[in-house]
Amino acid sequence: MVNHSQKCATGSDPHGQSWKMDSVRVHLFTIVWIWIASPHICSGSSNSSFWGKKATLVRPPCHWQLSNQCVVPELEELSVCVTIQREIHTSEWTAFDYKQRGQIKTELGLVGSERQLTVWLFKVEHKVNLTESLTLHHWHTFCLTWSAKSKQLRLYVNASRLAELPTDGSRLAGNGMLTLGVSHSMLGGVMDYETGKELMGNATLFRMWGRELGEDELTDLRCVDGDVVSWTKRHWDPDCQPVPDSSLICEWTKYKIDMNVSIKSKPVVTGMLKAIVQKWFEDTFHSNVSVHGIFISSTSSSRWLQGTGDDFGEQVKERRVSSNERTEKRYACLVYVEVMPKADVLAVQEEVQKRLTLQYDHGGVVVKAHPASINVISIEAFPNVTERPSSTADPPTLSTSPTTAELPICPSVSSSVTIENPDECNPDYSDEFRQDTFYRVHLNASINVTVIKSADIIKNWLNVKLNPQSMTVLNFEMNPDLHKYGCTFQVQANSLNISETTHLIYSLLTEAYITDAMSIQALPGHINISHIAPGSCPDHLQQTLYGLYDWPRTEPEDRATLLCEKNSRDQATRSCKLDGMTDKAMWKRPDLSLCKRTVDDITDLDKVNVTANNSGEIVDMIGSLVGNGTDLSDSQLDTVLDKLDDVVSVSPVPPGLAGNIVEIISNVLHSKADLASFTNKILRLTDSVGDTMNFDGEAHNITAPSLALQLVTINSNHFQGLTFGVSSFTNNNSPEIFMNKTFVEKPQGAVAAISLPVVLENFFPRNNTATPRIQFQFYDSAVLFKNPSDTMKLNSYVVSASMTNVNVSNLQQPIIITLRHLNRVQNQDQPILCVYWDFTKSNGGGWESQGCKTESTDGFQTTCHCDHLTHFGVLLDVSKAEISTEDEEILTIISYLGCGLSSIFLGVTLVTYLAFEKLRQDYPSKILINLSLALLGLNLVFLLNSWFASFGSRGVCVSVAAIQHFFVLASFMWMGLEALHMYFALVKVFNTYVPSYILKFCVLGWGIPAVIIILILAIDRDVYGSSLDGETQDPLKDSSPFCWVQNETAFYVSVMSFILLVLLCNITVFGVVLVQIRRMQANKPTSNTSGLLHDLRVVASLTFLLGLTWILPFFSWGPVHTPFMYLFSILNSLQGFFIFIFHCLMKENVQKQWRIHLCCGPLRPGDYSEWSRSMTGAVRGGHSRLVHFPSVKSEDTSSIRKISDSSTSGVSQINA
């Protein structure tokens, strides 16, 4: 990093030795680059650590405040932890108090009382009640976390979350004052401590991080120092010294050692310096401390033990060193180490400081650390790049693998030893050996005008300034979160002099660049430059579809070129690029566009040998050849599985490669190949992937369409059972899985689940070297598992569990497997069998039931108990099924088509009766309109029900189910009212006036269903829902999502009993009406043929009008079940269509209205006026508002004539 906010001034040169001034400037610049450019947060080395010590805050008063050397920056996220011990009871006490300078209210703080904590953030207080009192003389840890993204302030007490509070602030104010154990204020620039709320006790380990830590991280990092405020002497200014406390033990393994070292040796290059330090640490600490990364940079010029000052000036100028001279140089050294076994942080700090201050002498090399510079810091994890970044950046990232280089000592010139790599001992920096160097730059630009395309303007400015100096801008990105014109990029420079190049970049970018339109430059205090060492892209032997290519080692931003394997006249190229995220050299995908394929199909894979180096490329090749839906022959499938098995066998599988293999297996499951003979091979391959995969953490999962894999590393000391399941799954999509680290006997809402009991721990390996691993698998593909017979079919998904390298069987407590049926089991007498896949069964494996039993089952899921681990499923005896799967699919199609057709013609019927006023003058027509409206609503909601259910919204599904229920009840209610009107007209014959006749019918027809729905929702709205919700199953549920009544009691009471009651009444009225009509026609002469047709029309009309076809399911038993269900689906789904036929299309007055209003010419009736007048007069007669029921004995009444003589349907013609 370069930070020129501080400048070094030099005096005059009285002796005229200008070369000395130049050399001083060079060396001062080197020092500034490494040490003066410190960040504006509290980081850096300190002389003493406070770990294992406490701040004693009891009387006499001892005040602790943040040191002036520690400046808290503005933070958009943070975490703060402090541990306190109360010695004296007070009504209120303060843990810490952070305020902006000149402000009265607290920006961030924590105050406590007997039963309550008060948290301050952004000058707003939040009260939180304690669940239990904080006992005296005990240590208690309090942590606060917050981020601007989540806008949630979380409070933790003793590693448990106590509260989560919403906040409105965007960032913590910086450069404030912080006191420990007491609140404060500033009066006239003097710190004034408030009395009355001090902490009468002790405090320790106050730390602040510049990021939001999770609950687990707070626990895991309890022994790691903060990166904003740490528990060190550098960051605190106490009135009294901390007191050691032997109870404050905190053990940790990972440390960063920052120090200045002196190395006296013959001239060496940087790679040798690292080896020297590596050897120094190995000999000093032996096996209990392992080095995980070393960074060394020069802090000052060399002090030559031989030679003159003039020689020194010339050597600085030419950068050439003689190999027979010895030098002593100081270096800034950063070493990452791991201490095994873990030890107390304070003990490690003291031991490291003691050992490193001793002089180390080996083979003519003398190494010693400066005692005051040694700073040992506990860190969270080891970084992973190989060069030290600027001090304002994140911690340096170094390789996580220990360095093992031996100490290289360069012999003198007179030595007879042969040097294998003479350039290491005599580096030559002449132009012909120059290489590029790379830098990471962060800057905030200043532009004197407002611009729109700021990224293009800034990038163009960088190219104009840097390109003429043989520098290239790489991976440019804007960073507007930090500054309006903030950006970051990398620079490739054709120079080896890092210091000079850094200074040159700084000078070029901080110099104003002025054009006619604007002026632009980097803000001097806001530019950070750090040298990065990306390394090289390594040698890589790559197997591709276009041949085998051995890419040579290539420098970053360079390109390797090879001849195509099949067509050698053309070339294959591959670029080595500097990665914009990791600052490392990385190979890009090769450009093989000019090359011809050497592997054209799967059979060519037999020519390819699988090795640990090319396994990833082999999997990529197979993935490109095996797509979803690929038609694979048996030989091709065998080749694919064999190659994948070879990949798994040659080396451990990383997670990315494992995911690609699982994706290929998923494609195979969806291919058109016959998988029955490859079941064992596929299952064993999936098991091997899980057994050999390396992954970080306790668990890892991989999902692909129709396949899921969950791996769990078990802590044998805390095993409480394990539950795995799939919560939701739709065809050709990846399943959604869940895992519970306990034994769940009845998993809720699972498509498939398996629960492992605690007794499984008896099979865990007894030695500590092997960690038990359990893997779960989920399969959707039924074609993978062949059915044992034509009558027994797999009726569930397949789920499995296994333990790596252990055969688990004969468990005393059973494994519980819960599997949802693929197809609803309507006949409870159908045998359901819990089975597992037996690999040893003849002909490539098969289903076996020994060791498994069916614990419980219903129409929708089965629970199995088994005493071993393997692949489990549920078989169904389809020979006794009442309706086959094929019939069920056909019935579904018929229902949807019929309902759609009925909806159209019900709409036509409604439009007809509502458009032509003369058609809706009588009561039967008005009843017909309401019935058609109810049936139309029923059909439309039915058609859209599954679509709404697929949203997965509970509220939407409840609403749709309630509306569906309402229209079902309303439809049957109006069918019953239609029957009631017929009964009044033809049976209970009397002349009387019924006021508001249709209004009363509407109140009954629409009101009663509405009251029923409201009562159900008021009592329990969970009565409604999707058929895939919860565990409750009822007679109308299906395996596909459908919003309907989910409670069995509510279904039978509010649906079945209601429908049955209406149907019984309608059947009774139907019989009575037919008898009455027959009596009225008894004396009327007519031919047998016309009378029979007339009677059939009347019967059909009444049947559909009264909904009598809904009675069919009550008689669909035994052998007639399937035929009756077809009749039921056809007739009821077409009920609206038949109502249109009989009560609209075949009605004479409807036909006439159509001709009058829709036809012209000869089709228009000639007697329109006379017919219209007669109809109008009849309607407007004095008795139009009476319900007039003439005597049955009066055979010349209009009502009877309209029933007996109408060619359509007499019932709809009955009027008042």
Side-chain angles (χ1 to χ4, degrees):
M1 185 205 81
V2 175
N3 188 331
H4 287 262
S5 59
Q6 301 183 31
K7 298 183 178 180
C8 298
T10 59
S12 60
D13 185 10
H15 301 288
Q17 296 176 339
S18 60
W19 67 268
K20 292 186 178 180
M21 288 298 300
D22 292 336
S23 63
V24 168
R25 289 192 183 97
V26 170
H27 304 316
L28 282 176
F29 175 77
T30 305
I31 298 173
V32 168
W33 173 56
I34 297 176
W35 296 116
I36 296 183
S38 62
H40 299 290
I41 62 174
C42 311
S43 62
S45 62
S46 62
N47 294 331
S48 178
S49 169
F50 287 163
W51 282 79
K53 301 175 183 179
K54 61 186 179 183
T56 303
L57 305 176
V58 293
R59 292 185 178 90
C62 177
H63 299 130
W64 282 57
Q65 70 180 59
L66 205 62
S67 170
N68 291 330
Q69 299 182 38
C70 181
V71 179
V72 177
E74 291 186 346
L75 297 174
E76 294 184 352
E77 56 179 313
L78 60 87
S79 299
V80 176
C81 287
V82 62
T83 302
I84 68 171
Q85 181 186 53
R86 297 167 60 217
E87 297 289 352
I88 301 174
H89 175 77
T90 55
S91 59
E92 281 190 285
W93 47 267
T94 300
F96 66 92
D97 184 49
Y98 175 77
K99 293 177 180 175
Q100 283 182 271
R101 298 176 186 268
Q103 296 292 324
I104 298 176
K105 289 192 174 182
T106 300
E107 179 77 4
L108 176 66
L110 178 64
V111 177
S113 61
E114 185 65 25
R115 300 295 297 176
Q116 195 176 64
L117 294 177
T118 301
V119 182
W120 286 86
L121 183 62
F122 308 131
K123 305 177 182 64
V124 178
E125 66 174 356
H126 305 269
K127 301 288 187 181
V128 179
N129 293 327
L130 288 167
T131 57
E132 57 183 16
S133 60
L134 303 175
T135 56
L136 296 177
H137 312 299
H138 287 80
W139 289 106
H140 301 281
T141 300
F142 302 87
C143 292
L144 303 175
T145 66
W146 168 84
S147 75
K149 292 182 179 179
S150 66
K151 293 190 178 299
Q152 295 291 324
L153 172 63
R154 297 178 175 89
L155 171 62
Y156 300 87
V157 178
N158 296 328
S160 297
R161 185 187 296 184
L162 182 62
E164 185 169 334
L165 309 167
T167 60
D168 295 327
S170 61
R171 62 179 60 193
L172 184 77
N175 195 26
M177 300 293 294
L178 188 147
T179 53
L180 191 62
V182 64
S183 58
H184 69 277
S185 59
M186 295 292 292
L187 297 176
V190 179
M191 178 76 74
D192 180 51
Y193 300 101
E194 299 180 7
T195 60
K197 294 193 297 183
E198 305 100 319
L199 174 65
M200 294 301 176
N202 306 307
T204 187
L205 290 183
F206 183 97
R207 294 157 297 159
M208 179 183 289
W209 293 267
R211 65 186 181 95
E212 183 182 30
L213 301 178
E215 185 170 356
D216 293 339
E217 287 181 299
L218 290 172
T219 302
D220 296 341
L221 304 184
R222 67 183 188 87
C223 296
V224 174
D225 223 333
D227 54 12
V228 176
V229 178
S230 62
W231 193 237
T232 60
K233 182 178 180 180
R234 172 184 170 82
H235 294 166
W236 294 96
D237 184 12
D239 292 345
C240 53
Q241 292 302 312
V243 177
D245 189 332
S246 59
S247 66
L248 298 176
I249 301 298
C250 201
E251 296 180 338
W252 194 245
T253 61
K254 300 179 180 67
Y255 296 87
K256 177 179 70 175
I257 304 174
D258 200 353
M259 57 187 169
N260 291 340
V261 298
S262 298
I263 299 179
K264 182 188 298 184
S265 68
K266 289 182 175 17
V268 293
V269 294
T270 303
M272 296 173 60
L273 290 174
K274 293 182 179 180
I276 291 173
V277 174
Q278 171 74 28
K279 185 66 176 175
W280 173 33
F281 268 71
E282 287 179 355
D283 293 346
T284 301
F285 295 101
H286 305 293
S287 61
N288 64 321
V289 174
S290 58
V291 177
H292 282 254
I294 299 172
F295 172 81
I296 300 178
S297 62
S298 176
T299 62
S300 63
S301 61
S302 300
R303 179 171 57 84
W304 301 97
L305 301 181
Q306 299 176 9
T308 65
D310 294 333
D311 294 334
F312 166 62
E314 291 300 317
Q315 290 169 24
V316 170
K317 184 175 180 179
E318 297 182 9
R319 302 194 64 187
R320 189 175 293 274
V321 178
S322 175
S323 60
N324 60 359
E325 295 173 323
R326 300 188 61 191
T327 65
E328 180 181 355
K329 296 183 67 176
R330 290 187 63 186
Y331 299 92
C333 185
L334 186 64
V335 183
Y336 288 87
V337 299
E338 182 173 13
V339 178
M340 295 298 293
K342 61 183 179 181
D344 178 51
V345 174
L346 178 61
V348 171
Q349 292 171 336
E350 292 177 345
E351 184 67 18
V352 169
Q353 180 128 1
K354 182 180 72 173
R355 293 197 183 192
L356 293 183
T357 53
L358 300 176
Q359 180 171 294
Y360 172 76
D361 191 343
H362 178 83
V365 177
V366 179
V367 184
K368 184 179 180 180
H370 189 271
S373 70
I374 300 175
N375 186 24
V376 184
I377 305 171
S378 55
I379 60 173
E380 177 181 355
F382 297 125
N384 54 12
V385 290
T386 56
E387 289 290 343
R388 180 182 188 132
S390 64
S391 54
T392 57
D394 291 308
T397 53
L398 296 127
S399 173
T400 56
S401 53
T403 309
T404 56
E406 292 296 328
L407 176 63
I409 302 300
C410 296
S412 62
V413 175
S414 59
S415 173
S416 60
V417 178
T418 302
I419 305 174
E420 295 182 3
N421 297 303
D423 288 342
E424 290 187 359
C425 295
N426 299 284
D428 190 347
Y429 298 106
S430 60
D431 289 341
E432 63 177 311
F433 293 103
R434 293 179 69 179
Q435 298 179 355
D436 292 344
T437 52
F438 296 87
Y439 306 84
R440 165 66 69 178
V441 181
H442 300 270
L443 64 82
N444 296 336
S446 172
I447 305 177
N448 65 339
V449 295
T450 302
V451 296
I452 298 176
K453 296 182 179 180
S454 58
D456 295 338
I457 292 174
I458 294 176
K459 190 173 182 180
N460 181 65
W461 161 62
L462 294 173
N463 289 328
V464 169
K465 298 293 288 185
L466 299 179
N467 288 358
Q469 304 296 330
S470 300
M471 300 184 195
T472 305
V473 177
L474 306 172
N475 300 313
F476 174 85
E477 286 186 4
M478 294 295 293
N479 193 4
D481 293 338
L482 300 179
H483 187 270
K484 182 178 181 180
Y485 300 127
C487 63
T488 180
F489 54 93
Q490 297 153 330
V491 175
Q492 178 184 10
N494 187 17
S495 170
L496 273 179
N497 192 323
I498 297 174
S499 299
E500 291 180 0
T501 305
T502 304
H503 180 65
L504 179 60
I505 296 174
Y506 178 88
S507 301
L508 291 171
L509 298 184
T510 53
E511 179 184 2
Y513 173 68
I514 303 174
T515 66
D516 295 337
M518 69 184 71
S519 172
I520 182 172
Q521 69 180 109
L523 297 174
H526 297 272
I527 176 170
N528 300 328
I529 307 171
S530 57
H531 172 245
I532 56 177
S536 304
C537 294
D539 297 334
H540 185 203
L541 186 64
Q542 185 182 29
Q543 182 73 56
T544 71
L545 293 172
Y546 302 88
L548 181 65
Y549 294 90
D550 189 3
W551 300 105
R553 181 184 182 89
T554 304
E555 296 303 313
E557 298 303 313
D558 204 350
R559 184 174 63 178
T561 303
L562 297 173
L563 297 178
C564 296
E565 182 173 321
K566 195 169 185 178
N567 50 316
S568 57
R569 293 185 178 180
D570 295 313
Q571 293 180 337
T573 60
R574 193 178 188 187
S575 296
C576 176
K577 293 291 184 180
L578 180 62
D579 185 71
M581 296 295 293
T582 63
D583 291 339
K584 305 299 288 184
M586 296 182 65
W587 281 116
K588 297 299 180 183
R589 296 183 68 89
D591 182 6
L592 304 173
S593 57
L594 300 178
C595 300
K596 296 181 180 179
R597 290 176 60 153
T598 59
V599 178
D600 295 318
D601 54 35
I602 294 176
T603 56
D604 292 331
L605 291 174
D606 291 329
K607 310 172 187 176
V608 179
N609 293 323
V610 179
T611 66
N613 293 328
N614 69 359
S615 58
E617 286 79 13
I618 299 295
V619 172
D620 290 340
M621 292 168 57
I622 297 174
S624 63
L625 295 172
V626 180
N628 196 342
T630 304
D631 189 3
L632 298 175
S633 65
D634 287 355
S635 60
Q636 290 176 328
L637 182 56
D638 192 55
T639 298
V640 168
L641 296 178
D642 285 343
K643 289 300 175 184
L644 292 178
D645 189 60
D646 291 342
V647 169
V648 175
S649 302
V650 294
S651 64
V653 180
L657 183 60
N660 294 337
I661 296 175
V662 171
E663 189 72 30
I664 294 173
I665 296 174
S666 174
N667 290 334
V668 168
L669 298 181
H670 290 89
S671 68
K672 300 176 182 178
D674 181 11
L675 304 178
S677 57
F678 295 93
T679 303
N680 282 356
K681 215 167 190 178
I682 293 174
L683 296 182
R684 288 194 173 105
L685 173 61
T686 311
D687 286 340
S688 299
V689 171
D691 291 340
T692 59
M693 184 170 67
N694 288 332
F695 60 91
D696 297 327
E698 295 182 358
H700 184 81
N701 67 77
I702 303 173
T703 59
S706 304
L707 179 61
L709 184 67
Q710 174 76 61
L711 305 175
V712 186
T713 301
I714 302 299
N715 185 344
S716 56
N717 297 324
H718 300 89
F719 182 71
Q720 298 178 347
L722 204 60
T723 300
F724 164 82
V726 174
S727 56
S728 65
F729 173 73
T730 54
N731 291 335
N732 299 325
N733 289 320
S734 298
E736 295 183 11
I737 63 177
F738 67 88
M739 185 186 68
N740 194 322
K741 293 184 179 181
T742 58
F743 177 75
V744 180
E745 188 171 352
K746 294 181 179 180
Q748 299 293 319
V751 173
I754 181 168
S755 301
L756 306 182
V758 179
V759 297
L760 194 68
E761 64 183 355
N762 296 331
F763 292 85
F764 292 165
R766 296 304 176 188
N767 56 337
N768 295 327
T769 59
T771 302
R773 174 186 291 186
I774 294 177
Q775 67 167 300
F776 300 96
Q777 297 172 15
F778 169 84
Y779 295 90
D780 163 51
S781 179
V783 296
L784 180 62
F785 302 92
K786 61 184 178 182
N787 297 309
S789 64
D790 293 335
T791 60
M792 298 295 292
K793 292 187 177 180
L794 184 66
N795 194 35
S796 71
Y797 302 115
V798 175
V799 65
S800 76
S802 62
M803 187 184 301
T804 302
N805 300 325
V806 178
N807 181 23
V808 178
S809 59
N810 299 320
L811 287 170
Q812 296 179 353
Q813 184 179 352
I815 298 163
I816 298 179
I817 304 101
T818 303
L819 297 169
R820 179 173 292 174
H821 297 161
L822 297 178
N823 298 294
R824 173 187 163 199
V825 181
Q826 298 181 350
N827 184 2
Q828 297 300 322
D829 295 332
Q830 286 183 264
I832 295 176
L833 195 62
C834 290
V835 293
Y836 69 92
W837 188 257
D838 186 357
F839 287 88
T840 62
K841 208 163 185 178
S842 59
N843 300 323
W847 293 112
E848 184 59 63
S849 61
Q850 185 176 1
C852 290
K853 69 175 182 177
T854 304
E855 181 65 19
S856 63
T857 186
D858 54 31
F860 301 92
Q861 72 176 21
T862 295
T863 300
C864 305
H865 285 187
C866 298
D867 63 359
H868 57 282
L869 295 183
T870 184
H871 303 76
F872 302 101
V874 170
L875 295 181
L876 175 66
D877 188 350
V878 296
S879 63
K880 297 184 179 181
E882 295 181 353
I883 295 181
S884 65
T885 304
E886 293 78 9
D887 287 330
E888 191 170 359
E889 293 177 355
I890 294 172
L891 289 172
T892 301
I893 295 173
I894 291 174
S895 298
Y896 279 103
L897 291 177
C899 288
L901 190 64
S902 290
S903 298
I904 295 173
F905 286 101
L906 283 170
V908 175
T909 302
L910 283 171
V911 171
T912 299
Y913 275 87
L914 294 175
F916 305 142
E917 183 181 0
K918 298 184 186 309
L919 297 180
R920 61 177 188 272
Q921 297 294 338
D922 53 10
Y923 292 146
S925 298
K926 295 178 180 178
I927 296 174
L928 180 67
I929 290 173
N930 283 277
L931 175 60
S932 299
L933 184 60
L935 287 173
L936 178 62
L938 174 62
N939 286 316
L940 290 178
V941 177
F942 174 80
L943 291 172
L944 298 175
N945 194 309
S946 294
W947 180 62
F948 281 115
S950 65
F951 291 165
S953 172
R954 175 69 179 166
V956 171
C957 197
V958 169
S959 301
V960 172
I963 295 172
Q964 179 90 65
H965 192 190
F966 171 77
F967 279 116
V968 169
L969 300 182
S971 299
F972 279 93
M973 196 68 202
W974 280 106
M975 294 178 202
L977 292 174
E978 185 76 60
L980 182 63
H981 179 72
M982 290 181 190
Y983 177 76
F984 285 156
L986 294 177
V987 181
K988 192 173 181 61
V989 180
F990 58 86
N991 294 307
T992 184
Y993 171 71
V994 180
S996 304
Y997 182 72
I998 289 298
L999 181 60
K1000 292 176 179 177
F1001 267 39
C1002 287
V1003 171
L1004 294 175
W1006 300 109
I1008 292 178
V1011 170
I1012 294 174
I1013 301 302
I1014 292 173
L1015 286 175
I1016 292 176
L1017 290 173
I1019 295 172
D1020 184 9
R1021 67 190 302 268
D1022 291 335
V1023 165
Y1024 298 114
S1026 169
S1027 59
L1028 297 185
D1029 290 340
E1031 293 292 316
T1032 305
Q1033 307 292 348
D1034 66 68
L1036 289 187
K1037 276 192 177 180
D1038 203 306
S1039 58
S1040 60
F1042 192 85
C1043 299
W1044 185 230
V1045 181
Q1046 302 300 309
N1047 183 277
E1048 186 174 346
T1049 302
F1051 170 75
Y1052 283 108
V1053 172
S1054 65
V1055 180
M1056 294 300 293
S1057 60
F1058 188 91
I1059 293 175
L1060 187 60
L1061 179 62
V1062 172
L1063 289 178
L1064 290 175
C1065 295
N1066 288 5
I1067 291 171
T1068 303
V1069 172
F1070 176 73
V1072 171
V1073 169
L1074 288 184
V1075 170
Q1076 190 68 17
I1077 293 175
R1078 194 62 183 169
R1079 286 178 181 176
M1080 289 188 291
Q1081 292 180 336
N1083 298 326
K1084 185 174 182 180
T1086 182
S1087 64
N1088 293 335
T1089 303
S1090 62
L1092 178 60
L1093 293 176
H1094 172 269
D1095 291 344
L1096 289 176
R1097 281 197 298 271
V1098 171
V1099 170
S1101 174
L1102 291 174
T1103 299
F1104 290 107
L1105 192 66
L1106 302 181
L1108 301 183
T1109 55
W1110 287 84
I1111 202 70
L1112 287 173
F1114 295 96
F1115 299 97
S1116 57
W1117 303 329
V1120 299
H1121 176 73
T1122 300
F1124 269 42
M1125 292 307 296
Y1126 272 95
L1127 283 175
F1128 172 80
S1129 297
I1130 294 172
L1131 297 178
N1132 288 320
S1133 64
L1134 293 173
Q1135 183 181 4
F1137 173 71
F1138 287 120
I1139 287 177
F1140 167 79
I1141 295 294
F1142 289 112
H1143 299 276
C1144 194
L1145 184 64
M1146 296 179 65
K1147 282 189 68 172
E1148 185 176 330
N1149 58 342
V1150 174
Q1151 295 173 7
K1152 184 167 290 189
Q1153 287 293 305
W1154 281 349
R1155 291 195 189 101
I1156 291 170
H1157 296 282
L1158 303 178
C1159 298
C1160 58
L1163 295 178
R1164 188 182 182 91
D1167 57 345
Y1168 162 65
S1169 298
E1170 180 182 355
W1171 182 86
S1172 177
R1173 287 193 298 270
S1174 63
M1175 289 299 295
T1176 304
V1179 171
R1180 295 177 180 176
H1183 296 286
S1184 64
R1185 296 297 178 185
L1186 299 177
V1187 179
H1188 177 243
F1189 301 108
S1191 173
V1192 177
K1193 297 180 181 180
S1194 178
E1195 295 182 6
D1196 60 345
T1197 61
S1198 63
S1199 295
I1200 298 175
R1201 284 199 306 272
K1202 287 178 181 176
I1203 294 176
S1204 60
D1205 298 337
S1206 175
S1207 64
T1208 60
S1209 175
V1211 178
S1212 293
Q1213 294 297 328
I1214 299 173
N1215 56 24

